[in-house]
Amino acid sequence: MRLIEKAISVISPAWAAKREANLVKIQAGAYARNIIRGGNSYTGATNKRSMQDWATNNNDANSAMLNDLPILRERCRDLYNNTPAARGAISTINTNVIGTGLILRSTPDIEVLGITDEVAQELSDTIEREFLLWANSQLSCDYTRKLNFNEIQRLVSVSQQISGDVFVLMPWVNRKGSIYDLKLQLIEADRICNPNDLPDDKKIAGGIEYDDNGIPIAIHIRTPHPGNTLDSSIPTWERVEYYGAKTGRRNVLHVMENERIDQARGVPILAPVIETIKQISKYSEAEIAAAVVNAVLAVFIKRPVPDDTTPVDYGEEDSVKPWETTDYQLGSGTWIDGAPGEELQVVNAARPSNQFDPFFLATMKQVGMALELPFEILIKHFSSSYSASRAALLEAWKMFRVKRSFIISNFCQPAYEEFLTEAVIKGRVNAPGFLSDPAIRAAYCVAQWVGPTPGQLDPGKEYDAANKAVEYGFSSRTRATAELNGQDFESVIKEKAREEALMRKLNVSLNTSTFQPIAQLEREQQNNNEDDNET
């Protein structure tokens, strides 16, 4: 109590107590305001009028998203199925990231394995040949016998973006006519849920089971699918561990992008722009409907104010007047009969609105920002200069390469490593030390995955730049070939050598060919050296 309150308490204790209570309230209010305003360090933490309707929470990743995921998946699928913007964005990403499928290029680490380049090349050829034998066969690759490996890649990518994540099981199933037993079984995100639909807790959340250290150890798969209206059987749950207890073999691939620490499930890629895309879709539908109505409805009936002093003869009493019918339908060339004294009024709705296209384009720019898709790539319209269009293409490919790396590391490479393990076990690939030393196994599994390349706006400039990069030592022919057309340099050279041999055999010469066999190059170099020595 302050000195003045002490003095007042001598005269009036009640008055002093009241003053003290008010002082405490004032100090508490000032402290609370200081907390709300964040100490005035950041405007975004203040309680200004513009921030008062901003509701936020401090929930962890799972508390913030698990309850919202079912409706997010449903709405993203609906947008993908019914809106051009959502469909185009996801299809553009998949076409550039996956294309017709990422191609395996086996590149064993010769230094770790202690083998020569020739042996490594033979090993790579064998591995790639065996992999194609498995990957190109629906019977060998897909658990459901519907897709090959390239088609599974695309389905995994699409499902992950629409649903937020996708699960891949890797059972071994012995089938007649199939050399390899490894099969890939895709599980849609909705089927991974808590047993008996129990609420999430620290042991099981989002259908994923955790140990005491918070490490995921198993998933729970619901059968049938929660949205399966054709199967009325009682649902059951199958528990599948991420890794085998005896062998340590990987049983489950969980393909999802982590955006927060300890995040259990993935979020659909369209989640930040669901409302924006839906609203622009409604706007588009309204403009289209208005334009259609405006095209088929040209006139209205305008009726004058009735004048009781002027009788109008409408004909016989029992006859049906044309204007009394309610069976009117809009259509091109439709004629509506009016009553005597009524006149036609032309309708000019001025549709579509002049503001529709600018508003639509501005909205698409925001959608592109959220999806990391430049505006030109998103709407497939290049109206700027060459430099601006190329900049947009390069910026988009930064994102495409990131997503391709994600698919490779989370699906393609793990599936390939499981395949190679089986190939070694079955003796179809000779890889000493593969099964006994993890380091040796990793060296055998080194691989590159080649996919679609950026398109060339000006092929001449692109190839000139690639030639200079190779000439100056900034790049290799192998890398330049892969970046320009997605092909393998060695395969291109072998094919070109066969073409040259065929042309020599048929005595055909093409002016566009600048290829020279190595032997000829060596002879020319030897002749040049002899000339230099004579000089």
Side-chain angles (χ1 to χ4, degrees), residues 164 184 269 295:
L184 301 179
I269 190 174

Side-chain angles (χ1 to χ4, degrees), residues 258-406:
N258 287 276
E259 299 176 349
R260 293 188 62 181
I261 299 174
D262 295 331
Q263 180 178 337
R265 303 297 302 272
V267 179
I269 190 174
L270 298 178
V273 292
I274 286 178
E275 182 181 8
T276 303
I277 295 179
K278 186 59 178 177
Q279 295 295 351
I280 196 64
S281 176
K282 290 181 179 179
Y283 185 22
S284 300
E285 293 172 0
E287 285 293 330
I288 293 174
V292 171
V293 171
N294 185 45
V296 300
L297 180 61
V299 295
F300 276 125
I301 300 298
K302 182 179 181 180
R303 297 180 178 179
V305 179
D307 186 359
D308 296 338
T309 61
T310 306
V312 179
D313 184 8
Y314 290 134
E316 299 180 3
E317 293 182 359
D318 296 335
S319 62
V320 178
K321 283 61 173 186
W323 60 88
E324 291 180 349
T325 179
T326 58
D327 188 20
Y328 291 135
Q329 293 182 351
L330 294 178
S332 180
T334 300
W335 180 261
I336 302 176
D337 289 328
E342 295 178 342
E343 62 183 41
L344 301 180
Q345 180 172 345
V346 178
V347 177
N348 184 12
R351 294 291 185 172
S353 170
N354 294 332
Q355 299 301 319
F356 171 73
D357 192 59
F359 180 77
F360 175 80
L361 296 180
T363 305
M364 286 300 98
K365 290 179 181 179
Q366 297 185 35
V367 174
M369 291 169 58
L371 302 181
E372 294 186 86
L373 272 176
F375 173 67
E376 295 87 348
I377 308 296
L378 178 61
I379 66 172
K380 302 293 192 301
H381 183 65
F382 296 88
S383 58
S384 302
S385 63
Y386 168 80
S387 299
S389 298
R390 176 168 170 73
L393 191 63
L394 294 175
E395 194 66 25
W397 267 92
K398 293 179 183 178
M399 180 268 292
F400 295 149
R401 289 190 177 94
V402 170
K403 291 194 175 296
R404 180 180 297 176
S405 176
F406 165 77

Side-chain angles (χ1 to χ4, degrees), residues 324-513:
E324 291 180 349
T325 179
T326 58
D327 188 20
Y328 291 135
Q329 293 182 351
L330 294 178
S332 180
T334 300
W335 180 261
I336 302 176
D337 289 328
E342 295 178 342
E343 62 183 41
L344 301 180
Q345 180 172 345
V346 178
V347 177
N348 184 12
R351 294 291 185 172
S353 170
N354 294 332
Q355 299 301 319
F356 171 73
D357 192 59
F359 180 77
F360 175 80
L361 296 180
T363 305
M364 286 300 98
K365 290 179 181 179
Q366 297 185 35
V367 174
M369 291 169 58
L371 302 181
E372 294 186 86
L373 272 176
F375 173 67
E376 295 87 348
I377 308 296
L378 178 61
I379 66 172
K380 302 293 192 301
H381 183 65
F382 296 88
S383 58
S384 302
S385 63
Y386 168 80
S387 299
S389 298
R390 176 168 170 73
L393 191 63
L394 294 175
E395 194 66 25
W397 267 92
K398 293 179 183 178
M399 180 268 292
F400 295 149
R401 289 190 177 94
V402 170
K403 291 194 175 296
R404 180 180 297 176
S405 176
F406 165 77
I407 290 294
I408 290 173
S409 60
N410 287 273
F411 172 66
C412 295
Q413 186 66 22
Y416 163 64
E417 292 177 3
E418 286 299 318
F419 155 80
L420 189 55
T421 300
E422 183 181 1
V424 173
I425 292 175
K426 291 182 179 294
R428 298 189 64 87
V429 173
N430 183 22
F434 185 94
L435 300 176
S436 58
D437 189 339
I440 298 296
R441 180 179 186 272
Y444 279 113
C445 292
V446 176
Q448 296 179 356
W449 295 86
V450 181
T453 59
Q456 285 89 37
L457 298 176
D458 190 334
K461 294 181 179 179
E462 302 288 345
Y463 285 103
D464 288 342
N467 285 332
K468 290 182 179 180
V470 173
E471 179 182 355
Y472 297 153
F474 300 142
S475 180
S476 65
R477 289 182 172 86
T478 300
R479 180 178 295 275
T481 304
E483 291 178 350
L484 287 174
N485 53 31
Q487 298 184 14
D488 179 61
F489 175 74
E490 183 177 352
S491 300
V492 173
I493 289 298
K494 289 181 179 179
E495 185 175 359
K496 195 167 180 61
R498 289 192 295 268
E499 293 175 350
E500 292 293 332
L502 178 61
M503 288 191 295
R504 286 194 297 269
K505 180 179 179 180
L506 299 178
N507 196 23
V508 175
S509 178
L510 299 178
N511 294 330
T512 57
S513 176

Side-chain angles (χ1 to χ4, degrees), residues 1-24:
M1 183 178 292
R2 296 186 306 172
L3 181 60
I4 186 172
E5 275 72 32
K6 292 181 179 180
I8 295 176
S9 63
V10 177
I11 303 172
S12 175
W15 183 19
K18 187 176 181 180
R19 284 176 57 88
E20 183 67 21
N22 290 336
L23 179 60
V24 171

Side-chain angles (χ1 to χ4, degrees), residues 134-149:
W134 172 76
N136 289 345
S137 172
Q138 299 174 348
L139 180 65
S140 298
C141 179
D142 185 17
Y143 181 82
T144 60
R145 306 183 186 185
K146 296 179 181 179
L147 308 172
N148 59 32
F149 187 67

